[in-house]
Every structure is written in structure tokens, then in C-alpha cells.
């Protein structure tokens, strides 16, 4: 037996937002449809039917495929009158920021499906009547016709359904709110206390049918770096502009080399980079604020990426130099203030978390530049910028990307357009500086660095590209 709640979007548009108001929700959350049924209740029999529904196992989500999403932003005058208002037209009132996030799917129907639910005739009829009274799903502008049926929904078009199954929360998937036993009572309580429905929601990770099995068989590709040591800039710093990344990275390299014990000729070769052809060097990086709605590219902190094949004794010497004898400041240039460094913990901004740059456990397929790639090769007849980026990634120790898109301009919010004038050595003047977004066949564990100044100049630094899943933590950076 199957129970399906089928929603037809009357205008072909689904207006609802994720937890971040500027991001459209797609696929639709099961809890969104459940709340629409709750809003059409008229009596205790309806309530009993919904209590039965919330006790069923987690439902599937059937949608017709990826949607085109959009978001608009405006300021709305509030009705609350205050002594000091922010509206220039309505004294004493404030202007509150409002977003309208929408998704336009390839077909007008989607469904929430309980494959093993077996309602009795009374419960089914009550759920059916509830569905017929629903005027919209999501925002009131998302007009809908809702129907409850005992069979799976008909195909929405030639492409068929895309079926999402609930899975363990730690697996990468779509985080969607779903009903749970006691959800109706929690909604009642939230209403009585003046709370919103999302405050009592519970999120479940959903993955498209078949994708989880494929991911389980697909081992991630480990990049050339194993560890990323990160420091943030102490609070109170005047923001350091992103174009200074090359100078900051060079200053970090100089500071670390000066602190490693022993004679200069015994310096770990992967630190100074001489005589280690074919092996990754230690990389010195400045981390810009990128990838969130308010990202402006200013420098959040610095990092040292340590290669996987770095000998243990060399790792210990570097650790003593920067962790035991704590690295606390950087002198970059006379015209820049001394950068005072602070440790990083779980409460630090998302842009300073190591996993922000490594892609977390399991790796990431899509990456985008936070700083431009200074390509290893030069432009010649028959070569394109895409070819140069591919070659730079291969040389750096990463697999051949499946897709590459390049641009002279940043391709992610806050990415550094170009390094500051005079911060790139003259010998690289004829090398292209390009931004890129790349997609690999298999997930890659970062950090991802490519190009001629990836080790000592902080250029060619990539960040995971997940536009539909940007973390709110990035806003704290």
C-alpha cells in the first residue's frame, strides 16, 4: 500500500526558502506539505488523521528534476512604532529586510510519498478532504492544488520522477524538514507561544535514489596535502584587503623559515622548495572571506598546508616552530600593520575552519577559485585558458577535471580579483591570471592549490563550490 500527497503548482512556481532566507527550497520539504495540511484542519477528526500521518515512517520526496532558483531582496516598513525608526518615509518605523526565494521546476507537480503507509478508509477520507482545502504550499504566493491518493503519482513528463530517500544525517544530501511523532503538538505549542513553525522542525538528510550507493562505491581522491594549520587575525584589526594575499603568504613563509631550528642548509627541503622536484612543497596561504552573501574578500587569517609525503621529523620541526613556540604575529610590509594572529577553535568563523578549505570528510567534486590561478604555462596558439588551468591542476597533483570554466573576473562572492600591484615577481609577468570553476569526476579532498605561486604566494587557492548549500556560518566571518 502507498499513500501519496500530490501537489500541483498552479503557476509552475514554488515559493519557499531554506533556513537561509535568500536560498530557495528545492526539493520541497515534507514538513512544508504537512504544515499546509495542518492549516486546513477544521476539527478533531482532522487532527487525529494528522496524528496518524506523523507517526508513519519518514516519507520519500518525488520531484520532476532540478529547479531554476531565484531570490529578490527588499525592505519593508514594519507596523511597530519605535522612538527611533529607520524609515525616511514613515517616522518612528523601521525598514526590515525581506527576501522572496522561488524555484521553478521543469514540471508543475511534485509529491510526498509514504511507500508503506496503509490508512484505513476513515483516515484516508479525512486526509483527502484536508488536501482539497489547501490553497497554497510554502508562501501564500505559491498557489497549489493538493490531492491525496493510494497509489504512486503518474509521471510528470518524459524525464520521470527524481526520488529522494531519507538517509543518515551525517551523509551528504539535501537537508529537508520532515514530520515526526509529536510534530502536530509541537506546532500547536509554537503557535501558542508566538513562535514560527521552523523553530520546532527537525531536519533529515535526503539523497536522490541511487546516488548514495554510487557515492559509497566512489572513494574520494586525496590531494597532495594532509594537514592544514590555520590562524585567524585578532579582533580589532583593520580589515586587510584581499589583494594583499601574495605579500601576506610571502611574509608567512619568511617567518616560518626564520623560526625553524638548525642551520639553514638543514632546512626541510619541502619548506624552501629547492631540490624536491616532483614532490609537493609546504604551502603558505592567506585566507580571504569568500563564498557567502556578504563576502568582501578581506583576509580572515593565514594557513600552512603540509604535504602528505612530508617526513615525520620535518613535520615535528615545523610544529615546534609555529605551534610549540606559538606563531603570534606577521610583519608584512611597512605600509601594512603588524598582523597579530590568534588560534582557531570550533567557535571561530567558518572561513577559518580547516574543513572550509579541505571539503570535509569525503571530499567535494566542484571547486572555485578564491584567489586567481597564475598558470604554470603561457598562452600559445591552440591553447585556451581552460587548457592552462587543467595543466596547472595536473602538475599540482590533482586528477584531470571533467569540466573547467574560466573567467578574468571572480566566479564566487568575495574572491580576490587580482593580487596587489608589485606583489607578483617580474618573471611571471607573461603568465595569465585567471579565475576558474572546476568539476572532478570523483570527490577531491583539499585543500586544492594550483599554479605557479601556489606554494609561496597564496595564489591558485580553491574553495568548495556549493551554491545551493552555503553555510550560514560563513556570514559570521
Amino acid at each position: 500500500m502507498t499513500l501519496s500527497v500530490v501537489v500541483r503548482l498552479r503557476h509552475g512556481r514554488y515559493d519557499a526558502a531554506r533556513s537561509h532566507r535568500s536560498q530557495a527550497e528545492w526539493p520541497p520539504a515534507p514538513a512544508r506539505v504537512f504544515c499546509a495540511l495542518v492549516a486546513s484542519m477544521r476539527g478533531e477528526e482532522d487532527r487525529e488523521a494528522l496524528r496518524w500521518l506523523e507517526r508513519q515512517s519518514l516519507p520519500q520526496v518525488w520531484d520532476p528534476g532540478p529547479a531554476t532558483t531565484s531570490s529578490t531582496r527588499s525592505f519593508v516598513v514594519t507596523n511597530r512604532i519605535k522612538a527611533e525608526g529607520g524609515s525616511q518615509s514613515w517616522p518612528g518605523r523601521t525598514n526590515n529586510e525581506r527576501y522572496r526565494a522561488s524555484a521553478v521546476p521543469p514540471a508543475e507537480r511534485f509529491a510526498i510519498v509514504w511507500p508503506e503507509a496503509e490508512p484505513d478508509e476513515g483516515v484516508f477520507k479525512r486526509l483527502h478532504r484536508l488536501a482539497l482545502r489547501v490553497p497554497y504550499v510554502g508562501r501564500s504566493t505559491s498557489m497549489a492544488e493538493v490531492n491525496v491518493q493510494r497509489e504512486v503519482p503518474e509521471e510528470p513528463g518524459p524525464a520521470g520522477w527524481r526520488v529522494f530517500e531519507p538517509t543518515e544525517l551525517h551523509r551528504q544530501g539535501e537537508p529537508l524538514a520532515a514530520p515526526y511523532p509529536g510534530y502536530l503538538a509541537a506546532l500547536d505549542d509554537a503557535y501558542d507561544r508566538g513562535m514560527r513553525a521552523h523553530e520546532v522542525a527537525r531536519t533529515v538528510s535526503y539523497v536522490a535514489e541511487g546516488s548514495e550507493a554510487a557515492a559509497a562505491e566512489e572513494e574520494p581522491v586525496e590531494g597532495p596535502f594532509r594537514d592544514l594549520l590555520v590562524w585567524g587575525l585578532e579582533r580589532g584589526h583593520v580589515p586587510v584587503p584581499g589583494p594583499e594575499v601574495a605579500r601576506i603568504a610571502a611574509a608567512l613563509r619568511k617567518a616560518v623559515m626564520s623560526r625553524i631550528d638548525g642551520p639553514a642548509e638543514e632546512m626541510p627541503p619541502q619548506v624552501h622548495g629547492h631540490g624536491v622536484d616532483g614532490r609537493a612543497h609546504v604551502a603558505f596561504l592567506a585566507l580571504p572571506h569568500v563564498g557567502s552573501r556578504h563576502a568582501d574578500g578581506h583576509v580572515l587569517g593565514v594557513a600552512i598546508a603540509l604535504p602528505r609525503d612530508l617526513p615525520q621529523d620535518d613535520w615535528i620541526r615545523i610544529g615546534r616552530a609555529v605551534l610549540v613556540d606559538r606563531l603570534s604575529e606577521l610583519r608584512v610590509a611597512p605600509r601594512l600593520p603588524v598582523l597579530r594572529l590568534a588560534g582557531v577553535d570550533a567557535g571561530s568563523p567558518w572561513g577559518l575552519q580547516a574543513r572550509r578549505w579541505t571539503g570535509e570528510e569525503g571530499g567535494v567534486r566542484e571547486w572555485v577559485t578564491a584567489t586567481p590561478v597564475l598558470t604554470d604555462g603561457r598562452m600559445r596558439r591552440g591553447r585556451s585558458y581552460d587548457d592552462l588551468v587543467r595543466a596547472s591542476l595536473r602538475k599540482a597533483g590533482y586528477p584531470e577535471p571533467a569540466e573547467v570554466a574560466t573567467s578574468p573576473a571572480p566566479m564566487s562572492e568575495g574572491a580576490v580579483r587580482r593580487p596587489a600591484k608589485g606583489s607578483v615577481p617580474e618573471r611571471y609577468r607573461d603568465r595569465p591570471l585567471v579565475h576558474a570553476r572546476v568539476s572532478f569526476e570523483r570527490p577531491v579532498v583539499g585543500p586544492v592549490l594550483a599554479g605557479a605561486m601556489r606554494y609561496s604566494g597564496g595564489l591558485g587557492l580553491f574553495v568548495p563550490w556549493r551554491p545551493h548549500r552555503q553555510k550560514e556560518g560563513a556570514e559570521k566571518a
Side-chain angles (χ1 to χ4, degrees):
M1 188 68 72
T2 297
L3 182 71
S4 302
V5 180
V6 183
V7 179
R8 186 179 80 83
L9 302 169
R10 294 177 61 185
H11 298 149
R13 189 184 70 241
Y14 179 67
D15 297 338
R18 293 178 180 271
S19 57
H20 196 297
R21 300 170 296 168
S22 67
Q23 296 176 359
E25 176 185 274
W26 193 262
R32 188 83 64 179
V33 175
F34 186 90
C35 287
L37 296 174
V38 170
S40 66
M41 284 191 313
R42 290 186 179 176
E44 187 59 32
E45 287 187 345
D46 292 343
R47 187 178 293 277
E48 284 299 324
L50 290 173
R51 288 197 187 107
W52 175 89
L53 187 60
E54 71 182 16
R55 292 195 298 269
Q56 305 309 302
S57 58
L58 288 168
Q60 298 171 341
V61 178
W62 293 31
D63 77 15
T68 301
T69 61
S70 63
S71 176
T72 60
R73 177 189 180 199
S74 62
F75 290 87
V76 178
V77 177
T78 62
N79 290 323
R80 296 182 63 186
I81 298 178
K82 298 183 179 180
E84 296 181 359
S87 173
Q88 296 180 2
S89 303
W90 297 87
R93 298 186 183 182
T94 58
N95 291 327
N96 276 5
E97 192 177 44
R98 291 287 188 270
Y99 286 91
R100 299 290 185 268
S102 298
V104 179
E108 62 184 9
R109 288 188 300 139
F110 69 87
I112 308 300
V113 179
W114 286 262
E116 299 177 358
E118 297 185 23
D120 61 34
E121 191 63 24
V123 168
F124 176 78
K125 287 182 177 180
R126 287 192 287 272
L127 290 175
H128 183 69
R129 287 196 296 268
L130 279 171
L132 293 179
R133 292 197 293 263
V134 172
Y136 59 86
V137 176
R139 296 190 60 83
S140 60
T141 53
S142 186
M143 305 296 290
E145 295 175 4
V146 184
N147 185 41
V148 173
Q149 59 190 50
R150 292 184 183 272
E151 60 275 351
V152 297
E154 296 179 0
E155 297 288 339
W161 291 109
R162 186 173 62 160
V163 178
F164 287 83
E165 296 270 6
T167 186
E168 296 89 347
L169 189 58
H170 71 274
R171 294 290 182 90
Q172 290 186 5
E174 298 288 347
L176 302 176
Y180 54 87
Y183 188 37
L184 181 59
L187 290 170
D188 289 339
D189 183 60
Y191 179 82
D192 292 338
R193 296 166 60 185
M195 299 165 60
R196 295 182 179 273
H198 70 80
E199 296 181 75
V200 295
R202 293 182 184 176
T203 300
V204 178
S205 185
Y206 275 78
V207 294
E209 194 175 64
S211 64
E212 185 178 14
E217 296 172 359
E218 203 169 60
E219 290 295 325
V221 177
E222 293 184 336
F225 302 98
R226 180 177 57 196
D227 300 303
L228 190 68
L229 309 180
V230 182
W231 294 262
L233 301 187
E234 284 190 352
R235 292 187 179 275
H237 261 297
V238 174
V240 180
E244 297 295 341
V245 291
R247 289 195 177 97
I248 294 172
L252 177 62
R253 178 175 183 266
K254 181 179 179 181
V256 172
M257 290 177 65
S258 69
R259 296 163 67 91
I260 294 177
D261 56 9
E265 59 270 18
E266 295 180 8
M267 177 78 61
Q270 285 172 278
V271 173
H272 58 63
H274 302 297
V276 286
D277 292 342
R279 296 169 61 194
H281 306 177
V282 174
F284 302 91
L285 309 168
L287 305 179
H289 179 203
V290 298
S292 69
R293 182 164 51 89
H294 297 299
D296 59 5
H298 74 271
V299 177
L300 297 172
V302 298
I304 302 173
L306 301 175
R308 292 185 180 278
D309 60 357
L310 183 70
Q312 182 69 18
D313 290 345
D314 292 347
W315 204 118
I316 291 172
R317 292 180 66 189
I318 295 171
R320 285 175 182 161
V322 298
L323 300 177
V324 178
D325 183 13
R326 192 173 72 87
L327 181 64
S328 59
E329 66 179 33
L330 283 182
R331 299 182 181 274
V332 179
R335 64 188 182 84
L336 290 176
V338 174
L339 303 184
R340 304 200 180 279
L341 308 181
V344 171
D345 55 31
S348 299
W350 174 236
L352 290 174
Q353 303 295 329
R355 64 186 186 279
R356 170 64 173 135
W357 304 94
T358 61
E360 304 192 26
E361 184 178 356
V364 175
R365 283 191 179 87
E366 293 187 85
W367 296 78
V368 64
T369 46
T371 62
V373 177
L374 181 69
T375 62
D376 288 298
R378 298 171 173 81
M379 280 299 291
R380 294 176 182 170
R381 180 177 296 179
R383 283 184 180 176
S384 67
Y385 291 122
D386 293 8
D387 295 333
L388 293 175
V389 170
R390 288 178 184 275
S392 293
L393 284 164
R394 289 196 304 268
K395 183 175 181 179
Y398 300 94
E400 175 84 19
E403 297 178 12
V404 175
T406 56
S407 169
M411 304 177 77
S412 179
E413 297 90 339
V416 177
R417 184 181 182 89
R418 296 181 68 86
K421 186 177 181 180
S423 62
V424 176
E426 285 290 317
R427 67 181 182 275
Y428 294 131
R429 286 184 60 184
D430 60 345
R431 303 283 184 92
L433 263 170
V434 296
H435 282 274
R437 187 164 64 239
V438 302
S439 177
F440 296 99
E441 291 286 354
R442 292 165 56 189
V444 170
V445 178
V448 173
L449 306 168
M453 290 183 65
R454 64 188 181 276
Y455 296 135
S456 60
L459 300 185
L461 172 62
F462 287 72
V463 67
W465 172 250
R466 288 173 176 168
H468 61 291
R469 208 180 299 163
Q470 293 292 337
K471 289 181 176 282
E472 291 186 60
E475 301 295 335
K476 300 189 297 181

